[in-house]
Structure formats: C-alpha cells, structure tokens
Amino acid sequence: MCTDHLLLIHHESCIKCYSCIRICPVKAIRVDVNTEFPSIIPARCIGCGSCYRACSPGAISYRSSIGETKALLASGQKIAAICDPTISGEFHDITDYRKFVEMIKQLGFTYVSEVSFGVDLVARKYKEIFENFKGRYHISANCPTVVAFIEKYYPELINNLVPVVSPMVATAKVLRKKYGQDLKIIFIGPCIATKEEALKFEGDAKIDAVLTFVELRELFTQFNIRENQLEFSEFDPPLGYKGSLYPIANGILQSVNISEDLLTGNVITTEGRNDMIDAVKEFDSRIDRIKRHFNMFYDEGCLMGPGTSPAGEKFLRMTLVTDYANKRLTTFDKNTWEDQVAACEDLDLSRQFNADDQRLPVPEEQKIVEVLKMIHREDDKNNEVGCESCGYSNCREFAIAIAQGLATTEMCHVFSGKNRQEYIRTLRATNEKLAKTQAALKESEEKAKNEQEAQKEANNIVSAMLQKLVSGVVIVDDKLKVIQSNKAFIRILGEEATLVDEVIPGLVGADLKTLLPVNIYKMFSYVLSTDEYIEHKDVLYEENKLSISIFPIRSHKYVGGILRDMYVPEVRKEQIINRLTEVIDENFETVQKIAYLLGEGAAKTEQMLNSVIESYRNPTGK
Ligand code: SF4
Ligand code: SF4
C-alpha cells in the first residue's frame, strides 16, 4: 500500500491564513521561518483531517488510494470491498442501498460486504471488558485518531486502550476466513486516519487499500457508473446486525446493550474534537474519581468524518443510518447471524498499541520570556489570553511554539504590523538618503564632464597654437615618445614623416629616436636628465642647417624642442611671442578654469605653453 505522507500542504495554493494551525489539535503544523508557509510534521500528525477541512483554498490534500485501487481491480485477483456502515448516511442521494452495492460491484469487486458484522464482533468484546471490571478503566480503540492521539501524546495511557482490533480489521479477518487468505481487501469509509491505521496490519488482518467516500464517488464518475442504469444487488455475507448503528457515537454500545444509564452505567461516550481531547486529559488526571470507561470518537461519530462529502448534515445522516438499521432488522435472519458469529469465535481479535511519544519539552521560562519580549508581549499581564490569529490560544502558547521551532514571530499580526511600520520608516529614510546620493552623484558626473571638456579644449588650444608656429616644435616624454608636434616639425623631418602624420596626426606616440639622428635626440635625453637648457645649437640635418633649442617643461618628465630651419625665411620672433601672448590672453579665463577644474592636466598644458613662450622670450633661460 502507498506510504506517502498522509496529508500534504501545497504551497502554490496556500494563502498563509494559518486556519490549519489554529485547528490542529496537536500542533503538528510548522511554519517555515523563511517562506512562512506551513507544512505538516508527519510524525506529530494524528490524521484527524481537521486541517484538510479547515483549508478554504483547498491547499491540503490527503493520500489518494484511487490509483492503487484501480491497479488492484485490474489485476484479476479476488477483491472484496468492505463498507463502513456510515455509507448509509453518506449516500442519501441513492434511493436504495442495494443500488450502491451494485454500483460498487460494477467497479470490479468480487465481493461487497458490510463492516457492521465486524462491529458486531468487536462490540461483543467491548461488552465483555466493560462489564467485567478488573481494576482498569478503558478507552475505546475504534477511532484511529483517538488511538494515534494517545500513542503520541498520552503514551502512558496505551494500556488503557481496549486491546481489540477495529471493526475494519475484524471484518478483514472474517472475510479471509470465509473467502480465502488470498483475498484482497479494500476498506471504504468516512475517515482519513484509517489509511494510516491500515498500514499497521499484515496477514489475515491486512487492508490492501483504504478509499474514502469522496474517493469512491470519484471512481463512480471515472467509471461512469450511475444508479439509474443498474439493478439491485445484496451485500455478500456475513451480514451485520445492530453493528450498522456504529456511525452514531454510542451505536456500538447500543448494539450489544452496554448500559449508558446515568445512574448505573459505567461508560461515558464522548465525540467531537474538543470533548475528546478534554476527555483524554481528564481520564489521565481524574480516572480514580471518574471511575468510568470512555467510548470516544474524534469526529462526531463517524458520520461527519473528513472522508465524507463536504457540507454533510449530521442529523440527516444520523436519520439515514437509523432508517437503514431498522429496514435491515425487519427481515433480519438472526439465527444465521448467530451461526456466523459462532463461526468466528476462534478469530484472534486482540491488538497491542505502541507508544510513540511526540511531546516536545517545554522550553525554559527564560527562553519563553525572551520570545515574549521579542513579540513585545513581555509586560502584558494578560499573555495567557490572545487574539488567536497566530493559531495558538494565547500569546504564551505562541511563544512556547516559537521556542520549540513550530511557529515564527511573523505569524503574530500585532508584531508583524509593528515591524511593517518600522520597515516603512526605515525604507523612507533610506529612500531619502538614496535621493541625496543620486543628486551628489549627478553633480560630480556633471563636474567631471565639464572638466573633461575643459581639458579637451585646453589641448585643442595648445595644439592650434603650435600649428601656427613656423619653427618646428616637438614635446616628448621621459621615454622620448612624442606627445605633441607641429606641422613645421614634420616638414623638417621630411616626406616620410609627412606620410606618417597622415596616419598618426602629430606623430603622437612615435619614438624620437626613429625620427631624428642620434646627435639630435641625445640632446633631448641630455635636457631630460639634467634639466639644463640647450639654446640655439646649430646642427646639420640632411641638407639643412637647424638651430635647435631644447628646454625642460617638467623636471625629468617632459621636454620641448624648437627646431628652426635656417634656410627658411624665419618669422620674426617678436611676432610669434605677440601672437602667443594674445592667444594666452584671449584664453586666459579658460586656462584659469582649466587649471582650477583639471588641476594637474590643465596646469601641465599651461606649463607647456608658457615654456614655449618663455623659450622665445628668454633664449638664455635665465
Ligand atoms: S488553512 Fe493552512 S494550508 Fe490552508 S491556506 Fe490556510 S495556511 Fe494554507
Ligand atoms: S490531520 Fe489533524 S493532526 Fe494532522 S496536521 Fe491536520 S489537523 Fe493536525
């Protein structure tokens, strides 16, 4: 049988309303700290199905048995459907019970039998135990949710559970005895927890699959089986007697005349989530005073189990169950039933229970107080009551659950509301800061852009001025690479340099050593290393005579050279000086701005320019 988790929460449909947490009687649902989605802790779950019913968006599903039922039906084996007596309350839309027997047979079952015969056998065992008090009071063990609750949360009471199998298991044993041990058995009932209970039995007690009524209806739809197309069919023997009253909480007692007389009886029947939990609590603490056996059901009998169709009406279902029981009794063959009961006397209907303690240790008081502080509830004298919107009945319980790792602070609306406001305040402050930073960034971008443009403009001015000079001018760095040169310089170098200039304007980056003979470029190296001026040095270059002046621009970094071809009519020095001074004056404001904005870049440009002028104005360099 499939052993996937009994219940699953599908996060894609979950709206985080935490109704499931609020309703879970054993706090088996944990909220993830990061995603805030709830998820079921299988070991803690008692399979009551309350969360499944409480989830309005339908985000919780239970383990389906439809697939394995269809596979069994298709296997060609002998298969019996055993129907919980609640079926008469569920199928109020089917006019005669013999119709739904035939509908089930049409699915492919070999036999369709009633679990009410199993109830009859189990009820007789209960009568024996309840009416022969041997010093121990008992709790009924027919409701699998009650059994799971005691095994997991009151394990010290497992010896008080009636040590008898449930009617489902008793019926399986009866049918295997009657129809063969190879018989496959599928239980059809109103409960989800039976899917988990069935996993515990093997051999003649084995249940091969458990279908809820909702799943049975789904199969009818899938197989297109409709009541109005079918004839009647009877349940396969053995037939139940008053066991058909079992869906009503005290039906099992009435079926064997166990006294419920308030004055003389010794059994208390209790049903429904809260009463059942209170009953177990009181049984645990007060049984010496109460002195009664307990007949308990988590749901309201089985009539309203989570595997029945939603929106069922309890009293209508109760009426349908009693009507069915009465109808069957009018033609009931008690002698045959007694023979069949006698034939089952040798069946072992005993059962044991296993403690599976899931109680979590209560955190230390200090830890609880810390959590209460965290959720701003430490000063509240009333922290033993609460709005319950977190799913816990008061703030203290909620704090304990947080300390146990079951809940998160964000589940508290008050806390997350305060946090949200704080978050909005922080967000606002951060946004304001961000806006200021963005404005400052924009301003400095603007400034950098202006500086770049100013530098570009300064370079253009220097370049334009140099081009106006009739003498050749070249500026090189400490590696003798050309930084700037003018057309006159290129003209002096000759035709080859003119061609290079077309590709690399101004010969920028060219190595002076490849452009000039060694005696000339060594003069540049000399000025770079010594910072001394060379003035009007006459040098023969190819067929020309050059007058060369070399001067430092920045110590050991940049030098400038002025090369005058003595055979070319020279433009008067004064004119050049005047023109340069004029340009400088015209651009004085710009240069000032450049110097201010560009710092070193502009200063360097201005320095170069001034060095050129200075070399004309003061050829001695003194
Ligand atoms: S009941 Fe639980 S599973 Fe369903 S939507 Fe609400 S939080 Fe999600
Ligand atoms: S089935 Fe019951 S015990 Fe399990 S998680 Fe849901 S409400 Fe809790």
Side-chain angles (χ1 to χ4, degrees), residues 6-7 20 23-29 40-41 44-52 60 145 298:
L6 182 61
L7 288 129
C20 50
I23 201 133
C24 179
V26 291
K27 300 305 167 209
I29 302 178
I40 294 170
I41 306 165
R44 289 182 61 77
C45 174
I46 56 172
C48 66
S50 296
C51 55
Y52 165 74
I60 302 180
T145 303
Y298 180 86

